[in-house]
Structure formats: C-alpha cells, structure tokens
Amino acid sequence: MSINHLYHSWVEQLWQLRPKERVTRIRVLAWLVIGIYQSKSVHLSAIAQEIPSQAKLLSVVKRLERLLNNPALQVRSWYEPMARSWLQSAAASGEIRLIVDGSKVGFGHQLLMIAVAYRRRSIPIVWTWIKGARGHSS
C-alpha cells in the first residue's frame, strides 16, 4: 500500500472519529501515525524522515512537536474510539493477547501500560502513571 493511500485512509478514519476537528490537526496527526508505522520508531526525527514533504527535516519535526504539545489535543478522547475499534476487531478474530508492562520512567514514577499484541507489535490500549520506586507495583 502506498504512503499516499495510507494517508488518505487515515485522514478519512480520523474525520469519522472527530468530524468537528480542525483539518490541519487531522492532517498532521495522520502523518504522525503513518510516520510511526513506516519508521517503526517513536523518535520524531525518524518519523519525520518517513513523511514525504519538501520541507526540511527540522521543520517537519517541529510541526510534529507543536501537535504533540498542543493542549487542544486531548489524547484520551482521541485515542479511545480507535482503541475500542482495535479491541472489537481483535475480539472478532477469536483471541486477544494482552501485554502488561510496568516501566520505571523517573525518580519514583512508573508507566503502567496494557497493550494488545498484534503482528509482533504491541498496540497500547490503556496506560497510567503510578508512584513507585521499583519495577513492581501493587
């Protein structure tokens, strides 16, 4: 599937989920998702390299940073409909494999995440920050 086809299908899906959202935010978010998929990385510089653009790499990285730092982008309200859709399609296949991970991310804090295993990748479904100094949590 070509990158342009991926882009247009993601823009269409995002429009269905968020019909009143600004078109610029939808477009940049679609490129972010495609960049993550194509680069197999979450580093903005690697993502930006996969986005076809005549802009300089640094400009694309800054555009992605502005999107991610925008307070109008409410992550949970945007992500929940997609996560529900993924879980429903995974449940339709008959078997769901969940991955539970707790990672230390700083002094006294952990990231607890539950993801669905899909084609040798994990798709995060829910996550939260918890206080804890070690790799274990209650």
Side-chain angles (χ1 to χ4, degrees), residues 39-109:
S39 68
K40 298 178 184 172
S41 174
V42 294
H43 298 284
L44 292 181
S45 59
I47 294 167
Q49 287 178 343
E50 297 298 325
I51 297 173
S53 175
Q54 292 186 1
K56 293 183 179 179
L57 182 66
L58 185 59
S59 296
V60 177
V61 169
K62 290 205 180 274
R63 183 181 307 152
L64 296 173
E65 283 177 351
R66 283 192 302 271
L67 173 75
L68 296 173
N69 291 330
N70 188 340
L73 184 71
Q74 299 294 321
V75 174
R76 293 204 187 258
S77 65
W78 278 66
Y79 199 74
E80 183 182 353
M82 289 188 282
R84 285 186 188 277
S85 173
W86 293 331
L87 279 174
Q88 287 172 349
S89 63
S93 70
E95 183 177 301
I96 298 176
R97 292 180 187 220
L98 296 177
I99 301 167
V100 179
D101 179 42
S103 301
K104 181 179 176 182
V105 292
F107 295 109
H109 288 86

Side-chain angles (χ1 to χ4, degrees), residues 8 27 37 42 86:
H8 290 295
R27 288 177 184 161
Y37 175 75
V42 294
W86 293 331

Side-chain angles (χ1 to χ4, degrees), residues 2-4 8 11 23 33 35 38-39 51 56 58-59 61 69 71 81 83 97 104 108 113 116-117 122-123 126 130:
S2 74
I3 197 162
N4 288 332
H8 290 295
V11 166
V23 66
V33 170
Q38 293 288 88
S39 68
I51 297 173
K56 293 183 179 179
L58 185 59
S59 296
V61 169
N69 291 330
R97 292 180 187 220
K104 181 179 176 182
M113 180 173 56
V116 172
S122 64
I123 301 172
V126 294
I130 56 175

